Amino acid sequence: MRSARDFGGASVVKNLKKYYGPPYVDDVAKTFFTFDCNVPARDTGYAENQQACRVFARETGIRVFDVRAGIGSHVVIERGIARPGSIVVGTDSHLNILGAIGCFGQGMGDRDIAYVFASGRNWFEVPATMQVVLEGQFDYPVTAKDVTLAVIRELGSAGALGKVIEFTGSGAEALSFAGKITLASMATEMGAVAAFLPVDKKTAAWFEARAAGKGIDLTTTDSGVSYTDSLTVDLSAVEPLAACPFSPSNVKPISEIEGTRIDTAFLGSCTNGRFEDMVHAASILKGRRVKEGISLKVVPATEEVFERMLAEGILQIFVEAGALVSNPGCSGCASGQIGMVGRGEIQLSTSNRNFAGKQGKGETYLVSPAVLAASVLTGEISSPLSLKPALLDFTPDEEHDSPPELSFISWKAEAGEVQSGKPEPLPETRTADDKGCPEVVKGRARLIKTPDGGLMDDIDTDMIFHNKYLSITEIEKMGEHTFETLDGYEKFASSVEKGDIIIFGGNFGCGSSRQQAVDCFIPLGVSLIVTESTGAIYKRNIINSGFPFLEFPSIKDAGIEEGELLEIDFEKGVIKRENGDVIEANPPTSVQLDICRAGGLFAYSGGDD
């Protein structure tokens, strides 16, 4: 299965039109558009991109889950499209959320997904697997979000970099469906490619019904499996936690930051937008009012969640408490939508990222729905433990059997309108000028540093190319916005020189699946990127673009200075410094070299072996 969202979808269409002929899609039954990032469109750029996807869907017969449906990763679960034992790829960096149901979900950039749309196949780098054992149990108002933050506190933002996490133990098995979604969704913030949790019999039966008889394949761990790492977390010791600005790994107990003033709160996202999450907050807010001067914004993950809130009285609790409730979608993670913060504004969010600048110039603390609800009552960060709230009775997601009518949230072109056949690559797009890797790269070193002079780690995709520009699909217009929100490098685009070699610290490109965070360097004339390590999705995106880059695990000890001339044998990973010293980075992998030599993924995969 493969899907494209509203921000990446337009670029997927653009790539398909550029590199392939009709009918562009090899199997429409396995292909979907999901509009969730910016719904309804906040500006003409998003409106045009969404409409480009609709027009393309009418040409090809792709099903569209339009602006009312909600977050795509949740919708494909609810509709039985993603199933245990299946593989789903899409332009969503949190697609590893599907590991909550035993499905391999991987976020990819628009080049990747365009290729999958056309060919039905792709390359994968088989990752190592680490184990996180969850033992013991916890009780409300401690929630799965607190468990998730406890795991991130142990692993850090790159503790699972490039790996798959398998969550095991009695605690993992006992998590509710919604709790498993919360935990799996933030595997991205741990650096992981994907995550897997056990699927219980009740959830399996629920999927059997949702999959309309298509059957499911419950995956289990191989006997004698070995893990690269193992971590055990005692759930009985977990307390309410918060990820403080500006990193999901900057985790502290609520007891240490209690009393911090807040201005606003956002309840929702793919991490905490399920019905259970809404009940966790509503149980505290029922019969109470949000403190004067504090704003609470609530966004359910999907139409199904929204309709349950309406039918079961949860929506009324929020309205009577003084909350603003919006239509389903991602909202707080997308610029221009509910959940943005201004300079000096302090926000609590149940989302998954709080990188500097992502949601505006303010500060965001990541918390559970229970912590959020307790805090909006007081106007400061507060622990729900002191309230001793009673959890409202509710039917868990895995027992709810009344999804919305498909036609309410989705549409598909009539069979007579679509084209048939298999898409073929357009050979005329593959010219000699588009092919070839540089044998030797020469350029001046440009080091991206922290204020204390060290190479900067954890530069995320919003710092590289902010989400407020995601509607831009023309590569030549992307360069001017590079590092526009990265403190100290706001003028990078005007200061970089053609041929410069840009050098970064670890976990570079963590965050979203946006291809623009790679493509923005192309119009600036950057010749090569060197990182200590690279975010999993970003690494795929830069390889597929054919852009030269190297990973150099000991780059921080290499002594390279700002502005010195480097001569790099790209295919060997050998770096010759201006003083004559020779140092060695990791050479490119065979896949990276093949794609680079061909001139990018489409050329590499389009016919020539």
Side-chain angles (χ1 to χ4, degrees), residues 80-113:
I81 295 168
R83 302 185 299 278
S86 64
I87 297 174
V88 179
V89 297
T91 58
D92 181 351
S93 59
H94 286 102
L95 210 59
N96 45 24
I97 202 171
L98 302 181
I101 62 166
C103 168
F104 178 82
Q106 184 170 6
M108 297 180 174
D110 57 66
R111 294 175 192 260
D112 250 334
I113 297 305

Side-chain angles (χ1 to χ4, degrees), residues 136-211:
Q137 63 182 26
F138 59 90
D139 295 310
Y140 178 81
V142 174
T143 74
K145 183 60 167 286
D146 301 305
V147 172
T148 303
L149 294 177
V151 174
I152 294 178
R153 178 173 58 184
E154 296 298 319
L155 289 180
S157 58
L161 187 61
K163 300 177 183 178
V164 167
I165 302 175
E166 183 178 353
F167 291 98
T168 66
S170 59
E173 294 171 358
L175 283 175
S176 66
F177 171 50
K180 290 175 181 177
I181 282 180
T182 298
L183 181 55
S185 75
M186 291 194 70
T188 304
E189 282 62 54
M190 304 171 198
V193 172
F196 285 96
L197 286 107
V199 179
D200 59 78
K201 292 181 179 179
K202 185 182 295 184
T203 303
W206 182 82
F207 274 106
E208 288 278 11
R210 294 288 177 126

Side-chain angles (χ1 to χ4, degrees), residues 163-478:
K163 300 177 183 178
V164 167
I165 302 175
E166 183 178 353
F167 291 98
T168 66
S170 59
E173 294 171 358
L175 283 175
S176 66
F177 171 50
K180 290 175 181 177
I181 282 180
T182 298
L183 181 55
S185 75
M186 291 194 70
T188 304
E189 282 62 54
M190 304 171 198
V193 172
F196 285 96
L197 286 107
V199 179
D200 59 78
K201 292 181 179 179
K202 185 182 295 184
T203 303
W206 182 82
F207 274 106
E208 288 278 11
R210 294 288 177 126
K214 295 178 182 177
I216 59 174
D217 179 18
L218 292 179
T219 55
T220 57
T221 304
D222 294 335
S223 60
V225 65
S226 61
Y227 300 99
T228 59
D229 309 273
S230 185
L231 168 70
T232 299
V233 177
D234 179 7
L235 302 190
S236 65
V238 174
E239 60 183 303
L241 300 170
C244 303
F246 290 103
S247 171
S249 63
N250 185 20
V251 177
K252 297 180 181 179
I254 294 299
S255 57
E256 288 187 10
I257 58 174
E258 204 162 9
T260 302
R261 178 189 63 81
I262 66 169
D263 298 292
T264 184
F266 167 73
L267 172 61
S269 84
C270 64
T271 297
N272 282 121
R274 298 303 305 172
F275 184 74
E276 179 178 307
D277 299 311
M278 300 298 158
V279 173
H280 283 170
S283 297
I284 293 172
L285 293 174
K286 186 176 182 179
R288 298 182 171 104
R289 292 281 296 182
V290 172
K291 185 177 177 63
E292 183 178 351
I294 306 299
S295 62
L296 170 59
K297 292 154 282 193
V298 179
V299 183
T302 66
E303 177 68 14
E304 180 170 337
V305 175
F306 185 83
E307 289 184 11
R308 287 195 67 188
M309 291 170 63
L310 179 61
E312 300 180 36
I314 301 301
L315 182 62
Q316 183 176 356
I317 292 174
F318 284 125
V319 171
E320 291 179 352
L324 183 155
V325 183
S326 186
N327 60 292
C330 296
S331 212
C333 293
S335 181
Q337 299 290 294
I338 290 173
M340 297 297 104
V341 289
R343 193 181 303 275
E345 191 173 7
I346 298 175
Q347 173 179 245
L348 298 186
S349 172
T350 61
S351 185
N352 40 59
R353 291 177 185 151
N354 59 347
F355 300 127
K358 176 173 176 58
Q359 293 163 311
K361 295 293 186 180
E363 298 181 2
T364 295
Y365 291 77
L366 304 179
V367 299
S368 73
V371 169
L372 178 144
S375 301
V376 297
L377 297 176
T378 62
E380 57 189 36
I381 294 178
S382 303
S383 173
L385 294 174
S386 61
L387 297 175
K388 299 180 179 179
L391 185 62
L392 296 172
D393 289 334
F394 70 101
T395 301
D397 284 295
E398 59 269 35
E399 297 178 23
H400 182 254
D401 58 2
S402 300
E405 180 69 34
L406 183 62
S407 61
F408 287 1
I409 61 173
S410 175
W411 57 270
K412 187 175 185 293
E414 295 295 330
E417 299 176 355
V418 305
Q419 303 177 56
S420 60
K422 290 288 185 180
E424 294 291 338
L426 300 176
E428 62 270 19
T429 64
R430 301 175 57 203
T431 65
D433 292 338
D434 293 327
K435 296 184 179 183
C437 271
E439 292 184 7
V440 176
V441 177
K442 294 182 179 181
R444 295 286 177 182
R446 183 76 186 269
L447 279 59
I448 306 301
K449 300 179 179 181
T450 62
D452 62 7
L455 285 174
M456 193 179 298
D457 295 327
D458 299 326
I459 296 176
D460 76 281
T461 48
D462 272 298
M463 298 174 187
I464 302 169
F465 190 90
H466 197 268
N467 64 63
K468 62 186 173 183
Y469 300 119
L470 290 183
S471 61
I472 297 175
T473 60
E474 302 87 356
I475 291 178
E476 63 274 11
K477 296 181 180 180
M478 297 176 188

